[in-house]
């Protein structure tokens, strides 16, 4: 039993810190210091900096442009980025479709898509959810019909497509076969957003950011070579994807940062001298520390090559709950000024500026990526072995 | 970072698990526990109740297994391991509510003796306990002192070569059975000091009381009782450290309890039928069980944190870790045991069902050695609290 990182790992941590300190451009660093909200171009700017350093895909194998880091280094890397408040790179290319193409794609697909995912030249979005297919994803209806001329013709609607308006490509689950169980007959299709008939219509979130879109497909012609893996075999691949990077979903770094910000705001409002406020903040910090230990245990398991064990199944649930509680605490600490909404500079302190918006958006963390209710269903079935629901 | 148990640690945990199952299943506690008499209700086991509430023969057996000196230096007869190793044993003892006073005698009183006593005093009081010949108690709490070890009104007056102690101590764990009791008192110059008393000596009155968790403790009255002052180290440091170690032990024991009731509840959900189906098919109960599982996972994480830090010299790190774990024990441990009663329905409220025994022990563990409020305040009062998170 040993709770410390090795000197080697600590040295790596220092290297990452030094990199962030020296390589993050001042205008990004200024935003990061107060946890500003980053615009799409700013995120892409940061991606290019990481790309030049060779650090843009920590979880990809070296042969295809990844770092080849072990689980501990990946963890340290992401923890330091989160703690520094660096822009969060879009996960859709780097964390989702990239690994899927690496695992299941053809050589042609690898050569065509991976380099541009790394460089950020092409941005991706995820087309899974539909108006009638959320948690029950397999009931999706968007169709792709073989036109006999080497193409699929796609019709339907995807929804909640995060940053669809900025994306060059979308990876979709589409129905290529209407017979059999609903899980069969689903294919994994890559679609160029510039193809005629594709339309992404942004929607405002409650945080008042245009973070997601409705995406419409009207007779969109897609070459058959854009199917990843076997036709009608998309479901198993899509599920395999969900297992990636489980230890990172606890968002320990993000919550740590949120809590530091809570303390800073509490200091600004003169609340830290009050034992009641200190107690409230302490309670959440203790929850976070428990999660941090839990995350370490999962991480070390991954490091040893164990399949994700029971330790990792709780990370999404607790991680999302704690982040929400941290944002809520930040709102409470702000007091009456938390009602200010996108005010000009000077009304709120820089630390406070994005809290009300982020507080709203953070409610999504228990919904997306498999809602917490679905996560509980999964644990009930696969870990506790409870019988199927009536 | 490394969370794997060594081969030796795995064997230790296995032998403790098998001891709990074979030598001391919950049935044994039921036989020897003390129960207040209830008019009109048959008391099947009351006649056999042991006034100690535990058995010296079993204690001796635990000594022979090396458990009573696991984390004590070899110079006092221990095995020279770390407290973390003991936490593995304590967790298993928790799974069947083994009544021997491991935490009270080995962890709490033993550590106070180790840190405050001289080598000669170790040989006299600590070594026989490690050998299983005696048991110890630490009398630190007084009426109204709650969890403050410095809130001491008991006085020690110089008398001949020793001291004469006068005062009252409450809820002394194992105080009803101990061969030596370590007592905190203020000397004439106001200093906090620790003394060893012989409970059978003149001026000592011991009233044995039952506690909620099917156990016993003592109210201790001292009227000029003779005490030997511990002279090896600072009394306050020793007391605070002993309480931290005991709090970490409570977290390990609580983990054992949480795991046990989670398993019991999960099994019950699969066999108990209502509305023609196992109640485990109801989603609301499934999610409750999942939350019990989540809490148990987190209890494991923080119990490890506390156990690893508890015997480290760095007092700041130790306090921080122990307080995190103890606050978590109250939140998670109570949730798991309360929900286990709820999900058992009416049978969970009967004395016959084990779930209630675990529930009560957990409640006691949550208050022992600093409750939620105490540890939360201590955590939030650290100097680093205002500016940092996670260090
Ligand atoms: C901010 C945000 C960004 C998103 N980005 C994307 C994206 O980029 N691409 C994409 O494809 N999707 C995206 N999603 C969609 C997301 O994956 C879905 O919202 C999610 O799967 C839930 O589906 P739903 O919204 O249809 O809710 P529903 O499935 O209708 O769920 C409604 C409620 O019912 C509960 N529920 C449903 N089924 C069960 C059950 N069996 N047992 C118990 N409770 C149940 C849910 O937990 C929820 O509380 C995003 C969502 C949000 C909020």
């Amino acid at each position: 039993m040993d709770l410390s990182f090795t000197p080697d790992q600590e040295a790596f941590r220092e290297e990452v810190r030094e990199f962030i300190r020296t390589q993050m451009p001042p205008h990004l660093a200024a935003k990061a210091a107060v946890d500003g909200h980053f615009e799409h171009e700013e995120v892409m700017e940061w991606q290019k900096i990481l790309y030049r350093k060779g650090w843009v895909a920590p979880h990809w194998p070296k042969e295809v442009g990844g770092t080849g880091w072990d689980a501990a280094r990946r963890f340290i890397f992401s923890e330091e980025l989160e703690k520094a408040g660096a822009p969060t790179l879009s996960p859709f290319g780097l964390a989702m479709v990239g690994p899927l193409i690496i695992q299941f794609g053809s050589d042609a697909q690898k050569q065509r898509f991976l380099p541009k995912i790394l460089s950020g030249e092409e941005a991706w979005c995820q087309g899974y959810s539909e108006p009638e297919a959320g948690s029950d994803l397999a009931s999706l209806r968007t169709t792709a019909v073989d036109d006999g001329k080497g193409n699929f013709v796609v019709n339907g609607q995807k929804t909640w497509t995060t940053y669809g308006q900025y994306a060059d490509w979308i990876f979709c689950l589409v129905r290529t076969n209407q017979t059999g169980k609903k899980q069969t007959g689903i294919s994994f299709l890559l679609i160029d957003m510039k193809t005629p008939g594709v339309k992404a219509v942004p929607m405002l979130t409650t945080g008042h950011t245009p973070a997601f879109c409705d995406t419409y497909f009207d007779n969109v012609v897609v070459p058959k070579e854009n199917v990843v893996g076997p036709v009608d075999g998309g479901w198993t691949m899509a599920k395999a994807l969900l297992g990636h990077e489980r230890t990172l979903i606890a968002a320990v770094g993000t919550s740590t940062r949120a809590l530091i910000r809570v303390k800073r705001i509490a200091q600004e409002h003169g609340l830290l001298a009050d034992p009641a406020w200190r107690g409230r903040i302490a309670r959440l910090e203790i929850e976070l520390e428990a999660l941090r230990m839990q995350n370490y245990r999962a991480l070390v398991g991954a490091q040893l090559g164990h399949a994700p064990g029971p330790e990792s199944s709780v990370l999404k649930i607790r991680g999302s709950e704690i982040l929400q509680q941290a944002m809520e605490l930040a709102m409470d600490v702000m007091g009456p000024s938390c009602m200010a909404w996108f005010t000009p500079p000077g009304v709120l302190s820089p630390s406070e500026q994005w809290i009300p918006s982020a507080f709203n958006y953070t409610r999504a963390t228990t919904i997306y990526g498999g809602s917490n209710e679905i996560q509980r269903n999964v644990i009930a079935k696969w870990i506790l072995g409870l019988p199927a629901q009536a | 970072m490394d969370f794997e148990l060594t081969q030796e640690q795995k064997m230790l945990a296995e032998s403790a698990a098998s001891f709990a199952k074979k030598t001391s299943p919950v049935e044994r506690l039921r036989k020897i526990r003390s129960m207040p008499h209830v008019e009109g209700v048959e008391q099947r086991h009351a006649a056999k109740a042991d006034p100690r509430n535990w058995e010296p023969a079993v204690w001796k057996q635990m000594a022979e297994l090396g458990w009573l000196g696991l984390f004590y230096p070899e110079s006092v007869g221990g095995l020279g391991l770390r407290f973390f190793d003991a936490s593995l044993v304590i967790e298993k003892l928790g799974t069947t509510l083994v009544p021997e006073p491991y935490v009270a005698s080995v962890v709490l009183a033993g550590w106070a003796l180790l840190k405050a006593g001289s080598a000669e005093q170790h040989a006299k009081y600590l070594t026989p306990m490690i050998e299983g010949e005696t048991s110890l108690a630490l009398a630190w709490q007084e009426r109204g002192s709650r969890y403050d070890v410095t809130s001491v009104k008991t006085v020690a007056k110089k008398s001949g070569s020793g001291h004469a102690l006068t005062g009252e101590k409450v809820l002394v764990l194992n105080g009803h059975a101990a061969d030596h009791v370590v007592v905190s008192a203020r000397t004439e110059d106001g200093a906090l000091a620790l003394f060893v008393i012989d409970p059978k000596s003149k001026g000592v009155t011991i009233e044995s009381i039952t506690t909620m968790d099917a156990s016993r403790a003592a109210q201790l009255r001292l009227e000029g009782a003779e005490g030997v002052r511990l002279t090896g180290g600072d009394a306050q440091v020793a007391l605070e450290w002993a309480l931290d170690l005991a709090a970490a032990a409570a977290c390990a024991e609580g983990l054992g309890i949480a795991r046990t009731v989670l398993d019991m509840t999960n099994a019950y959900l699969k066999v108990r039928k209502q509305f023609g189906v196992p109640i485990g098919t109801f989603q609301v109960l499934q999610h409750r069980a999942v939350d019990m599982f989540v809490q148990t996972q987190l209890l494991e994480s923080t119990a490890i944190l506390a156990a690893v830090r508890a015997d480290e010299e760095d007092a700041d790190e130790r306090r921080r870790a122990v307080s995190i774990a103890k606050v978590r024990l109250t939140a998670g441990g109570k949730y798991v045991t309360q929900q286990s009663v709820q999900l058992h329905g009416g049978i969970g409220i009967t004395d016959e069902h084990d779930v209630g025994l675990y529930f009560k022990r957990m409640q006691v563990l949550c208050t022992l050695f600093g409750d939620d409020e105490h540890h939360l305040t201590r955590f939030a009062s650290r100097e680093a609290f205002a500016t940092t998170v996670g260090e």
Side-chain angles (χ1 to χ4, degrees):
Chain A
M1 209 54 46
D2 179 5
L3 303 184
S4 50
F5 285 99
T6 64
D8 207 38
Q9 289 164 340
E10 288 298 350
F12 174 69
R13 187 186 289 282
E14 213 22 73
E15 189 188 343
V16 175
R17 282 185 185 165
E18 176 68 14
F19 172 79
I20 298 171
R21 227 177 1 249
T22 56
Q23 301 303 308
M24 191 186 283
H27 65 285
L28 295 187
K31 271 196 172 180
V34 293
D35 243 1
H37 171 83
F38 292 102
E39 303 300 333
H40 177 67
E41 308 80 67
E42 293 171 322
V43 177
M44 295 319 286
E45 183 184 349
W46 180 238
Q47 170 157 353
K48 295 207 169 87
I49 293 167
L50 290 173
Y51 173 66
R52 280 199 299 275
K53 175 81 179 169
W55 282 1
V56 79
H59 46 289
W60 288 21
K62 237 186 158 115
E63 311 81 76
V64 289
T67 58
W69 287 337
D70 61 14
R73 285 190 172 220
R74 296 204 296 272
F75 175 82
I76 291 168
F77 181 66
S78 78
E79 191 177 57
E80 287 307 317
L81 288 182
E82 284 179 322
K83 280 207 283 199
T88 310
L89 301 192
S90 167
F92 302 112
L94 290 165
M96 294 183 182
V97 77
L100 190 112
I101 292 174
I102 292 169
Q103 198 176 347
F104 301 104
S106 65
D107 284 341
Q109 285 168 338
K110 288 180 193 167
Q111 277 154 27
R112 163 65 189 82
F113 294 112
L114 297 182
K116 292 184 174 173
I117 290 175
L118 289 170
S119 68
E121 218 170 312
E122 286 176 348
W124 284 80
C125 64
Q126 176 188 29
Y128 279 16
S129 306
E130 298 183 4
E132 302 300 325
S135 300
D136 181 14
L137 185 58
S139 65
L140 60 93
R141 293 178 188 171
T142 297
T143 55
V145 178
D146 192 340
D147 68 356
K149 293 179 260 175
N151 302 303
F152 279 118
V153 179
V154 180
N155 279 287
Q157 183 193 346
K158 295 291 176 181
T159 192
W160 322 129
T161 323
T162 297
Y163 294 137
Q165 70 269 42
Y166 305 119
D168 303 292
W169 283 80
I170 183 167
F171 59 94
C172 285
L173 290 177
V174 292
R175 190 159 294 288
T176 39
N177 195 331
Q178 302 283 358
T179 57
K181 268 177 56 182
K182 62 184 179 182
Q183 283 81 3
T184 57
I186 291 175
S187 299
F188 195 97
L189 190 61
L190 312 178
I191 303 176
D192 185 341
M193 294 289 277
K194 289 183 289 295
T195 320
V198 179
K199 193 166 79 177
V201 182
M203 280 181 278
L204 277 186
T205 64
T206 52
H208 255 207
T209 51
F212 49 35
C213 293
D214 272 321
T215 309
Y216 299 92
F217 300 88
D218 181 14
N219 287 316
V220 176
V221 180
V222 183
K224 280 169 97 172
E225 70 237 30
N226 285 9
V227 175
V228 182
V231 172
D232 293 353
W235 183 250
T236 28
M237 291 190 311
K239 282 217 309 205
L241 196 64
L242 299 175
H244 279 282
E245 290 300 294
R246 288 247 238 161
T247 56
L248 299 181
I249 60 181
V252 169
T254 309
S255 289
T256 299
R257 208 175 148 68
L259 214 50
I260 289 173
R261 204 148 44 120
V262 164
K263 288 182 179 179
R264 198 188 306 137
I265 299 170
Q267 193 86 274
E268 288 166 8
H269 288 258
L271 302 178
L272 271 189
D274 181 339
W277 279 106
R278 275 180 101 99
R280 264 194 78 184
I281 298 169
R283 203 172 280 289
L284 189 58
E285 185 171 341
I286 285 170
E287 292 301 326
L288 177 60
E289 291 315 304
L291 181 71
R292 192 189 307 278
M293 281 298 294
Q294 187 73 20
N295 205 20
Y296 286 153
R297 287 170 57 212
L299 169 78
V300 170
Q303 181 86 341
L304 295 171
H306 299 170
E311 321 76 67
S312 62
S313 60
V314 313
L315 297 178
K316 160 80 182 10
I317 292 179
R318 283 308 285 155
S320 55
E321 288 172 349
I322 287 171
L323 187 55
Q324 288 181 345
Q325 285 161 15
M327 295 316 296
E328 199 170 343
L329 186 54
M331 292 289 278
D332 290 352
V333 165
M334 283 174 73
S337 44
C338 81
M339 72 176 90
W341 194 239
F342 291 84
T343 48
V347 177
L348 299 177
S349 80
S351 305
E352 295 173 316
Q353 184 68 25
W354 274 95
I355 298 277
S357 171
F359 158 74
N360 276 278
Y361 188 73
T362 305
R363 298 312 302 177
T365 56
T366 48
I367 298 172
Y368 59 51
S371 74
N372 283 18
E373 288 74 26
I374 297 297
Q375 303 287 340
R376 286 182 168 87
N377 287 349
V378 169
I379 297 176
K381 181 172 176 188
W382 295 109
I383 296 179
L384 300 181
L386 287 167
Q389 285 155 30
Chain B
M1 216 172 283
D2 178 11
F3 293 95
E4 296 278 294
L5 298 184
T6 63
Q7 208 47 43
E8 290 77 23
Q9 287 170 333
K10 279 185 194 148
M11 279 163 57
L12 181 63
E14 270 162 33
S15 86
S18 119
F19 173 92
K21 230 187 350 242
K22 295 198 190 109
T23 309
S24 186
V26 179
E27 257 325 288
R28 174 172 166 253
L29 172 70
R30 286 189 176 279
K31 286 200 182 104
I32 62 178
R33 70 175 167 165
S34 28
M35 300 223 331
H37 178 69
V38 181
E39 205 60 55
V41 178
E42 180 206 2
Q43 301 228 330
R44 261 173 284 167
H45 303 305
K48 293 177 205 151
D50 186 307
R52 285 175 185 268
N53 216 79
W54 56 271
E55 294 169 288
V58 177
W59 188 240
K60 185 74 192 167
Q61 206 180 329
M62 291 167 85
E64 278 155 13
L65 287 160
W67 296 350
L68 307 191
L70 268 182
F71 57 97
Y72 284 99
E74 287 167 20
S75 57
V76 300
L79 295 187
L81 300 178
R82 298 294 304 271
F83 180 72
F84 176 78
D85 299 283
S87 79
L88 298 171
V89 172
I90 295 166
E91 185 209 322
K92 299 303 178 201
L93 299 182
T95 62
T96 60
L97 303 169
V98 175
E100 274 60 34
Y102 193 93
V103 177
S105 177
V106 178
V107 181
L108 189 62
W111 199 255
L113 256 172
L114 181 78
K115 290 294 155 188
S118 65
E120 195 186 320
Q121 290 165 334
H122 294 159
K124 191 158 175 203
Y125 305 116
L126 193 50
T127 306
M129 190 274 289
I130 288 171
E131 289 165 353
E133 298 301 327
T134 60
S135 75
L136 304 172
L138 178 68
W140 61 279
Q141 227 163 353
E142 301 188 355
R143 275 180 210 279
S145 73
R146 289 189 76 88
Y147 306 105
D148 180 4
V149 296
T150 65
S151 171
V152 172
K153 295 201 190 79
T154 300
V155 291
K157 280 210 171 85
K158 263 209 133 43
S159 137
S161 62
H163 284 80
L165 273 57
T166 300
E168 193 187 16
K169 296 282 172 179
V170 299
L171 292 161
V172 183
L173 303 178
N174 198 44
H176 64 291
D179 300 281
H180 303 287
V181 181
V182 181
V183 181
S184 62
R186 295 225 171 255
T187 57
E188 279 150 298
D189 59 2
L192 189 64
L194 287 170
F195 300 85
V196 176
I197 62 159
D198 173 356
K200 290 185 288 294
S201 64
K202 217 170 99 245
V204 182
T205 314
I206 287 176
E207 184 190 353
S208 177
I209 58 165
T210 53
T211 53
M212 186 208 280
D213 53 341
S215 182
R216 282 194 167 275
Q219 303 290 88
L220 185 66
R221 226 179 29 253
L222 305 172
E223 286 153 314
E226 188 190 332
V228 179
R229 184 169 181 174
L230 295 182
T231 52
D234 183 84
Q236 188 175 335
V237 170
L239 275 171
E240 283 174 353
W241 200 343
L243 277 163
D244 272 339
L245 211 66
C251 294
E253 188 180 336
L255 171 63
I257 290 175
R259 280 194 165 138
T260 307
V261 298
L262 173 65
D263 287 349
M264 285 170 69
T265 307
N266 194 18
Y268 191 66
L269 289 174
K270 291 170 188 167
V271 298
R272 171 69 174 171
K273 283 193 176 165
Q274 287 294 289
F275 301 97
V277 292
I279 57 172
T281 57
F282 303 136
Q283 191 182 48
V284 69
L285 301 194
Q286 292 194 349
H287 286 197
R288 209 77 61 77
V290 169
D291 285 334
M292 291 169 66
F293 163 78
V294 167
Q295 290 301 331
T296 305
Q297 279 290 322
L298 295 171
L299 287 182
E300 182 173 348
S301 284
T302 49
I304 292 172
L305 175 67
V308 169
R309 297 275 186 248
D311 59 357
E312 279 179 6
E313 288 289 338
D314 183 339
D316 286 338
E317 266 302 307
R318 183 220 310 157
R319 289 194 189 114
R320 178 177 171 278
V322 166
S323 288
I324 287 172
K326 199 67 190 353
V327 170
R328 277 305 302 149
L329 179 71
T330 320
K334 281 191 183 175
Y335 184 83
V336 172
T337 48
Q338 288 172 357
Q339 292 306 324
S340 74
V341 171
Q342 175 68 19
L343 268 50
H344 276 82
I347 201 170
I349 303 292
T350 61
D351 181 67
E352 270 160 61
H353 199 284
D354 288 348
V355 99
L357 294 176
Y358 290 104
F359 171 88
K360 288 191 271 194
R361 179 63 183 160
M362 184 67 88
Q363 176 62 40
V364 167
L365 288 175
C366 288
T367 43
L368 282 178
F369 322 125
D371 63 3
D372 175 71
E373 203 277 333
H374 172 83
H375 282 286
L376 186 74
T377 306
R378 190 172 82 162
F379 179 83
S381 315
R382 288 169 309 123
E383 209 177 295
F385 178 78
T387 48
T388 62
V389 171
E391 45 212 283

